[in-house]
Amino acid sequence: MERQKFDVGAAEFSVDAGAPLPEGYGDNHLVIMTRDPYWFFAYWEITHERAEQVRTAHGRDCWDVAALVMRVYDLGESTTTPLDAANYFDVEVNKSARQWYVQVPEPGHAYVADLGLRWPDGKFVALFRSNVIRQPHGRVSDKTDSEWMSVNVMAQEWEAMARMAIGVGSSKGASGEVLQGMALRWEFLRSVFSGSVSSWPSSWPSSSVSSWRSPESKS
């Protein structure tokens, strides 16, 4: 009886995946989101009604003749830069696509984009405009006036936390090589906590410390 209570071999499982996601939400929009300092991600939707409006205004063959283009405006350091004063570049995208990755020339700048049609003669008709984003700078912050919180922890408490973090004193059948590696890590953490990073144990192999540099050695 006890074994049968936990026997699920004959049980039937079913997962309700729900209704499939719709192809669109009936909302004309272009959204851009930062991925990293040099790239952002864009996604959009063009409804059938909006496409018909463009055909009525610019010809039934406009979607065949013109290219679908994302015009990206570089606003520089200010998000209030007028578009007519901003530099821009065009990214031609696939007409069947609904998302695209775009590379930007300058990190730390603000960007906004128009999705539209561009004819061979250079004429551009925007369908709709995106939100404004600011790309990260992609470098170490130049703010050096930060105030750091003081943590009043005794050396013995740091030592106890470090031992718990790396498992010193709990070998549980570990090999000699593993124990040696754990001991090296413990010695390094202990030197950091005591403020004597540059005083490495003489017994350490050179390969174990060659990639570390103390703050004093960097200067």
Side-chain angles (χ1 to χ4, degrees):
M1 289 294 294
E2 289 298 320
R3 180 178 298 179
Q4 291 177 356
K5 285 169 55 178
F6 301 99
D7 185 7
V8 295
E12 294 184 0
F13 295 94
S14 63
V15 177
D16 183 6
L21 292 175
E23 293 185 0
Y25 294 90
D27 182 19
N28 293 287
H29 64 275
L30 169 64
V31 178
I32 60 177
M33 300 183 298
T34 295
R35 192 195 76 168
D36 59 44
Y38 288 95
W39 291 84
F40 69 76
F41 175 72
Y43 67 91
W44 61 88
E45 180 181 353
I46 306 172
T47 64
H48 176 74
E49 291 75 16
R50 183 70 178 106
E52 282 299 311
Q53 291 175 0
V54 176
R55 288 189 180 95
T56 301
H58 301 283
R60 302 302 300 178
D61 64 342
C62 63
W63 288 95
D64 299 322
V65 175
L68 184 62
V69 166
M70 195 183 311
R71 178 158 291 183
V72 182
Y73 296 90
D74 184 345
L75 304 181
E77 297 288 342
S78 174
T79 58
T80 61
T81 302
L83 290 189
D84 56 4
N87 295 324
Y88 69 84
F89 60 92
D90 289 349
V91 178
E92 185 172 340
V93 300
N94 194 306
K95 292 178 182 176
S96 62
R98 295 193 175 184
Q99 57 190 29
W100 212 263
Y101 284 99
V102 176
Q103 187 175 16
V104 297
E106 295 292 339
H109 284 196
Y111 293 91
V112 64
D114 284 343
L115 186 68
L117 295 177
R118 187 186 64 195
W119 276 260
D121 61 1
K123 175 185 175 181
F124 178 77
V125 174
L127 301 176
F128 31 78
R129 181 161 294 162
S130 76
N131 53 303
V132 178
I133 61 171
R134 180 182 293 279
Q135 296 291 95
H137 286 282
R139 56 178 170 79
V140 177
S141 175
D142 54 3
K143 295 183 179 180
T144 58
D145 58 347
S146 300
E147 296 183 5
W148 298 92
M149 179 180 67
S150 297
V151 180
N152 187 19
V153 181
M154 301 296 291
Q156 295 85 348
E157 295 173 316
W158 279 119
E159 181 173 335
M161 287 189 289
R163 285 182 176 274
M164 292 174 61
I166 66 174
V168 170
S170 178
S171 60
K172 294 184 179 180
S175 66
E177 183 179 354
V178 172
L179 290 175
Q180 182 182 11
M182 291 168 62
L184 291 176
R185 290 166 62 194
W186 159 241
E187 290 296 335
F188 167 71
L189 289 174
R190 189 172 65 173
S191 66
V192 171
F193 298 148
S194 64
S196 58
V197 180
S198 58
S199 58
W200 304 103
S202 58
S203 60
W204 280 27
S206 59
S207 60
S208 298
V209 299
S210 60
S211 61
W212 296 97
R213 294 292 184 274
S214 67
E216 293 81 5
S217 66
K218 291 181 180 178
S219 61

